[in-house]
């Protein structure tokens, strides 16, 4: 068996920690402020139990589902993550891996690989955009996505605040110029496998974001685009509806944690929502996304596709989310650890690990399909669910 193969996401994380420079790894595990939401995203899954059967299980299980009109071989999607400096192939490797395993690729606007290159590897790519710049700039990005063949958009609104971290934010340079290379040289030299990966390509980690402009235009730096986002007034619900109408196709709103917001998303013409707190990187003390999922799925799950993002590390986590009303989960940190360890094959490894865990849990629960899963398959402790935004006092 290959020495790069791993049996669990936890092993992938340990190997990624050894391989990556401290600053790069720190950016992957970071959460805002004290990290309460970051921790709860994972802890909450452990509070849910299973109610298995001992006989009569299906010999073959169907793990497929559908999200935003796209057929998925398993209920796991790639969540968009910007600036994937863990491996020189970055988002292109992730696109190849997700295509090979029959699922959707979410590509960040803050990615370092062009949209067109990613779609060439996985035609079922969703471009994630932030509400950044004026409407003309937003239309420019939408039209680029349309021309490139993106099958949908993800409007991310769960990254709305700038917070420090109690343990310190990882140091990320504005650009990888000579000064930055000298500053980070001690970290790179002490992690030779990561460094050699980039050396073989004769490229240094790229911190420009080409998907924020039209092809051929000079790409801004990550922090240049971040600055534009910070100076852009947040969108209203009318703005969300305008964007959905401009696109005219499948569009996900990422960051919904409240029932009233979920209902407003339906009214605005959104076709899918991600119950998400940006992996604990937004407003700390927000509950785990899995706690908010059941109330949201019950309220709008028959009108809109509901997926979950946050804290997924095992196939059993995926099954718990689907049993509570999600069509699928979006995977973030876990696939980046696989990417760091072994590039495309590492991402495929992570997806295979999750698939095996999903299949085992579905078997144990006596189901023949993930679409048969329900809350009856779980042991849900009293007070687990957080039904946010149900008071009837929705904001205008």
């Amino acid at each position: 068996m290959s020495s790069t193969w791993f049996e669990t996401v936890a092993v992938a994380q340990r190997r990624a920690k050894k391989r990556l420079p401290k600053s790069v790894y720190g950016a992957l595990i970071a959460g805002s402020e004290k990290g309460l939401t970051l921790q709860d995203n994972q802890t909450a899954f452990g509070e849910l139990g299973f109610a298995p059967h001992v006989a009569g299980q299906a010999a073959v299980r169907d793990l497929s589902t559908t999200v935003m009109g796209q057929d998925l071989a398993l209920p796991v999607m790639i969540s968009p993550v910007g600036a994937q400096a863990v491996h020189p192939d970055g988002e292109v490797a992730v696109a190849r891996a997700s295509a090979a395993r029959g699922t959707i690729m979410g590509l960040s606007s803050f990615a370092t690989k062009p949209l067109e290159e990613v779609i060439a590897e996985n035609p079922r790519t969703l471009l994630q955009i932030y509400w950044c710049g004026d409407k003309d700039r937003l239309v420019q990005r939408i039209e680029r996505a349309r021309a490139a063949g993106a099958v949908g958009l993800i409007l991310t609104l769960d990254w709305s605040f700038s917070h420090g971290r109690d343990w310190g934010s990882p140091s990320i340079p504005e650009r990888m110029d000579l000064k930055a290379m000298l500053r980070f040289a001690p970290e790179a030299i002490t992690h030779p496998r990561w460094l050699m990966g980039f050396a073989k390509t004769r490229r240094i980690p790229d911190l420009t974001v080409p998907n924020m402009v039209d092809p051929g235009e000079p790409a801004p730096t990550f922090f240049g685009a971040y600055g534009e986002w910070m100076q852009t007034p947040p969108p209203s619900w009318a703005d969300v509806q305008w964007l959905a109408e401009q696109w005219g196709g499948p569009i996900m709103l990422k960051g919904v944690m409240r029932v009233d917001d979920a209902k407003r998303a339906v009214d605005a013409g959104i076709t899918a929502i991600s119950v998400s707190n940006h992996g604990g990187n937004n407003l700390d003390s927000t509950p785990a996304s899995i706690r908010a999922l059941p109330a949201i799925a019950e309220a709008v799950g028959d009108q809109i596709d509901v997926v979950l993002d946050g804290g997924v590390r095992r196939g059993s986590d995926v099954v718990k989310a689907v049993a509570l009303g999600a069509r699928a989960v979006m995977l973030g940190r876990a696939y980046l650890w696989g990417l760091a360890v072994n590039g495309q094959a590492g991402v495929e490894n992570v997806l295979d690990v999750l698939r095996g865990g999903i299949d085992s849990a579905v078997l144990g629960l006596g189901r023949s399909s993930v679409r048969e899963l329900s809350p009856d398959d779980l042991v849900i402790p009293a007070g687990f669910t957080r039904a946010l935004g149900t008071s009837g006092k929705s904001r205008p």
Side-chain angles (χ1 to χ4, degrees):
M1 184 176 294
S2 169
S3 61
T4 55
W5 188 84
F6 43 85
E7 293 184 350
T8 68
V9 171
V11 172
Q13 181 179 0
R14 288 198 294 271
R15 292 186 183 177
K17 184 178 181 179
K18 289 180 64 176
R19 187 182 186 94
L20 296 174
K22 181 178 179 181
S23 295
V24 177
Y25 180 73
L28 296 187
I29 64 169
S32 62
E33 295 191 332
K34 194 175 181 180
L36 298 173
T37 297
L38 175 71
Q39 183 61 43
D40 196 36
N41 272 349
Q42 298 174 63
T43 301
F45 279 107
E47 296 177 16
L48 295 168
F50 284 127
H53 290 279
V54 295
Q57 289 96 334
V60 178
R61 278 76 57 194
D62 180 6
L63 306 187
S64 65
T65 189
T66 303
V67 177
M68 298 175 73
Q70 300 294 319
D71 294 330
L72 281 64
L74 72 167
V76 179
M77 306 164 58
I78 296 297
S79 190
V81 180
Q84 296 182 8
V86 302
H87 190 277
D89 292 338
E91 296 88 357
V92 170
V94 179
R96 291 171 180 156
S98 54
R101 294 301 182 262
T103 193
I104 297 173
M105 169 74 181
L107 178 68
S108 174
S109 286
F110 283 26
T112 56
K113 302 295 184 184
L115 171 64
E116 292 77 12
E117 289 185 19
V118 172
I119 289 181
E121 303 298 337
N122 188 344
R124 297 194 300 158
T125 292
L126 308 171
L127 177 65
Q128 173 253 30
I129 60 176
Y130 291 99
W131 191 264
C132 182
D134 61 24
K135 287 187 174 181
D136 287 342
R137 296 272 286 169
L138 288 164
V139 169
Q140 179 185 13
R141 293 173 195 136
I142 289 172
E143 293 308 317
R144 178 177 178 181
R146 197 189 314 278
V151 297
L153 296 182
I154 301 173
L155 174 59
T156 294
L157 297 183
D158 61 346
W159 189 39
S160 306
F161 309 92
S162 179
H163 286 299
R165 299 178 174 93
D166 286 11
W167 53 85
S169 296
S171 180
I172 302 173
E174 170 72 18
R175 63 178 71 247
M176 287 303 293
D177 53 18
L178 179 60
K179 180 179 179 181
M181 286 189 283
L182 290 173
R183 177 184 173 193
F184 286 91
E187 283 192 36
I189 291 171
T190 55
H191 293 81
R193 288 184 297 169
W194 174 84
L195 181 60
M196 285 303 298
F198 282 93
K200 288 177 182 177
T201 67
R202 298 183 180 179
R203 300 195 311 267
I204 59 175
D206 189 0
L207 297 178
T208 60
V209 287
N211 297 312
M212 295 294 288
V213 293
D214 278 343
E217 293 184 23
T221 65
F222 180 93
F223 284 106
Y226 182 85
E228 183 183 20
W229 165 76
M230 289 189 69
Q231 295 173 46
T232 303
S236 66
W237 281 109
D239 291 327
V240 172
Q241 182 172 345
W242 170 85
L243 188 70
E245 291 170 350
Q246 290 294 314
W247 174 244
I251 180 170
M252 176 188 294
L253 180 61
K254 183 174 180 290
V256 176
M257 287 291 292
R258 296 171 56 105
V259 170
D260 50 3
D261 280 353
K263 292 178 177 178
R264 294 294 295 269
V266 173
D267 293 341
I270 296 296
T271 54
I273 57 174
S274 174
V275 180
S276 170
N277 49 45
H278 212 83
N281 265 308
N282 191 8
L283 184 61
D284 202 23
S285 297
T286 301
S289 50
I290 189 70
R291 299 188 193 278
L293 172 65
I296 292 172
E298 182 179 1
V300 301
D302 60 343
Q303 304 170 69
I304 196 170
D305 291 349
V306 178
V307 302
L308 176 117
D309 190 325
V312 174
R313 301 290 185 270
R314 302 167 185 83
S316 58
D317 296 341
V318 179
V319 170
K320 291 171 182 178
V322 174
L324 290 179
R327 283 183 175 266
V329 304
M330 299 184 76
L331 197 66
R333 291 179 175 92
Y335 80 77
L336 290 176
W337 294 325
L339 179 66
V341 172
N342 198 23
Q344 175 186 343
V347 179
E348 292 174 0
N349 194 157
V350 166
L351 292 172
D352 290 344
V353 165
L354 292 181
R355 183 181 181 87
I358 295 166
D359 189 58
S360 294
V362 173
L363 170 64
L365 294 170
R367 301 298 192 182
S368 62
S369 168
V370 292
R371 290 184 285 271
E372 296 175 358
L373 294 166
S374 77
D376 290 340
D377 295 310
L378 304 181
V379 179
I380 306 172
F384 176 84
T385 297
R386 305 289 188 268
L388 310 179
T390 58
S391 66
K393 298 179 180 179
S394 177
R395 293 179 61 186

